[in-house]
Amino acid sequence: MTSTSTSASAGGGSASPVPPGRPRQSMIEIDQLHKFYGPFEALKGISFTVRSGEVVGFLGPNGAGKSTTMKIMTGLMPPTRGSVSIAGHDVLDEPLEVRRAIGYLPEIPPLYPEMTVRDYLSFAAELRGVPRARRRRAVDLALERCGLTHMAQRLVGNLSKGYRQRTGLAQAVIHEPRVLILDEPTVGLDPTQVIEIRGIVRELGEERTVILSSHVLPEVQATCHRVVIINRGLVVADGPMDELLSRESHGGVVASLRRPPEELDPLRQLTAVRQVQRLGEQEFRFFLEPGDDVRERFVAGLANSGYGLIEVRAETATLEEVFRDVVLEEVPA
Amino acid sequence: MRFVWAVFRREIKSYFVSPLCYTAIAAFLGIMGVLYYALLMGYERTRLRAAMNPLAEMPGVENIVRGMLGSDIMWAFLIIVPLLSMRMLAWERQQHTAELLLTAPMTTWHLVLGKFFGAVFVLITMLALAVWMPFVVVYWGSADPAPLLSGILGVLLYGALMLAIALLASSLTESTIQAGFLTLLFMAVVYVVGILVPRVPLVGENLEQFTPGGNLSLLARGVVDTQPLVYFLSMTALLLFLTSQIVDSQRWR
Ligand SMILES: Nc1ncnc2c1ncn2[C@@H]1O[C@H](COP(=O)(O)OP(=O)(O)OP(=O)(O)O)[C@@H](O)[C@H]1O
Ligand SMILES: [Mg+2]
């Protein structure tokens, strides 16, 4: 029922994946998280919920508090105030239950340079409680998933940065956790690797809950159902990808005209047009009147106008624009 | 327990590909060798002096064994235990593998025990490589082997206690160098106390049973008593417990 997201993984289309439409309970609940590092308040009351099966992009500029939030989610450090519960278990009260449910890729992959990739993953599987009988298969599967099979006998310390990152990711998924917490999983990877990782995340996201932080916005736009953006320790945007994108787009239509009029006025007179902006020599942005069939009427009118319509497209916002908007709102440029 | 086993196995594999581990073993054997030689020379001198004096008794070799199992081994540990502490908890933090261990579904106690037994394994390896020295002496000197056997047990227990100190020290910092120096400092304090305690007037002798060195020398004299065994095991367990509490409290800081 979620075939759209798998088939799109290789192509990396621009449409954001549709969340699977099944009843889902919340897997991650973050409530009013505050964190002080000494006198410095890194988190100022972060709250959001992630439902089972969602793939959530966790965004924010450097120093926003993403890694801090993720460390608190894994029980590596306590919040100063507030609570986190994962798969129904409070991080402070039932840390072992929480740790059984999660796979975690920290910002710096936790690798032993003196071990081979296979040994390392086998150790990770053992630590995550994968029974001995299933360990070898789990390691093989993780190697394959992360494109590491041919590197299995290499020493981790001799791997390139991208392969280290993959090894870190393989470690996080080895026990097929219900909740995956990935702190910048695609950092240091080349574009093909990024697409592969995107595939892995999606594949896992079919069954599992994933929260991943990233600075690569097109990446997030292509992988995640939902986005939570934080800035300076506060949530500044939170919602389904489609919703955020459509909120940001101005509802404009951009058209290229071979023979545009000298002035903007004649364009303003066209059917269904409310406002016009000049974007370039031949390019204009039209804001239309509200209504269901306005685009249809507008395009028909424009085509018959004699200005030589050669291209027309509806404007959709990119995640970059959303990000810039919500983050810059806070920080005066 | 399977978590302890997992951590322990990884520790050992890692130790035996690590230059630091081989440095520590080489240093241990070197120090023991030099001290062994010095003891033999010292023995030789007293023996010659005794041979020239018809009234003197020929000295036995027991003092050599006692020296090796007592102060010699203590000095050797003062060098190698801080070296080993550099691969304990601070090391995991420094290379960020602590995140892997601390987010695994095991308790901190499992982690601490796994790391501890890993280091004890290295200790046993070292002792196994050096143990021929006192055995040669006992064999050629036709001395009673019992004190040597109980002494070796004592050295093992004493070493394990020092490793527990090292583990505790390494839980207090994120830098392996600092862990090494902190271990050295803690051990130095233990040694100085051990040297000063017997000199306390009146009660000195009674207090000696509370120092690691005092208990070691009990065992090295061939006194296999429950007192030193209980002492070493409970002190070690206490330190390991403290270490796991410290690591947990850092998680909750
Ligand atoms: N151990 C620490 N002690 C003091 N301040 C810290 C500590 N860790 C993080 N901070 C501060 O807390 C803030 C949030 O840091 P955090 O690492 O969570 O940001 P981030 O969103 O992950 O950033 P990045 O995108 O650079 O990874 C930063 O201002 C950082 O300087
Ligand atoms: Mg970060």
Side-chain angles (χ1 to χ4, degrees), chain A residues 4 26 73 82 110 154 198 205 235 240 248 277 289 293 303 306:
Chain A
T4 42
S26 62
M73 289 166 70
R154 295 278 193 97
R198 187 189 292 177
V235 175
E248 184 68 11
Q277 281 175 351
E289 288 165 355
D293 59 343

Side-chain angles (χ1 to χ4, degrees), chain A residues 35-38 40-43 58-71 77 107 183-184 213-215 230 233, chain B residues 174:
Chain A
K35 177 71 189 178
F36 283 87
Y37 288 114
F40 174 72
E41 192 173 17
L43 303 182
F58 192 41
L59 309 178
N62 291 128
K66 302 181 295 293
S67 300
T68 303
T69 307
M70 287 179 149
K71 278 187 195 161
M77 53 160 77
E107 204 160 25
D183 202 346
E184 305 195 24
S213 77
S214 178
H215 288 290
I230 64 170
Chain B
E174 289 192 14

Side-chain angles (χ1 to χ4, degrees), chain A residues 35 74-78 92 96 99-100 104 106 108 110-115 123 126-129 171, chain B residues 2-3 6 9-10 14 17 87 91-92 95-97 99-107 251-253:
Chain A
K35 177 71 189 178
T74 60
L76 276 174
M77 53 160 77
L92 294 181
L96 288 183
R99 284 186 246 153
R100 259 189 272 278
Y104 173 48
I108 300 165
L111 305 176
Y112 291 100
E114 74 278 7
M115 295 176 95
F123 172 62
E126 205 174 346
L127 272 192
R128 297 297 184 176
Q171 161 277 128
Chain B
R2 73 203 151 101
F3 290 121
R9 277 207 345 268
R10 205 215 67 77
S14 204
V17 294
R87 265 187 98 82
W91 177 71
E92 304 277 2
Q95 63 169 7
H96 298 280
T97 43
E99 272 100 323
L100 177 71
L101 301 170
L102 294 176
T103 58
M106 61 174 174
T107 63
R251 210 204 279 275
W252 305 135
R253 190 169 58 198

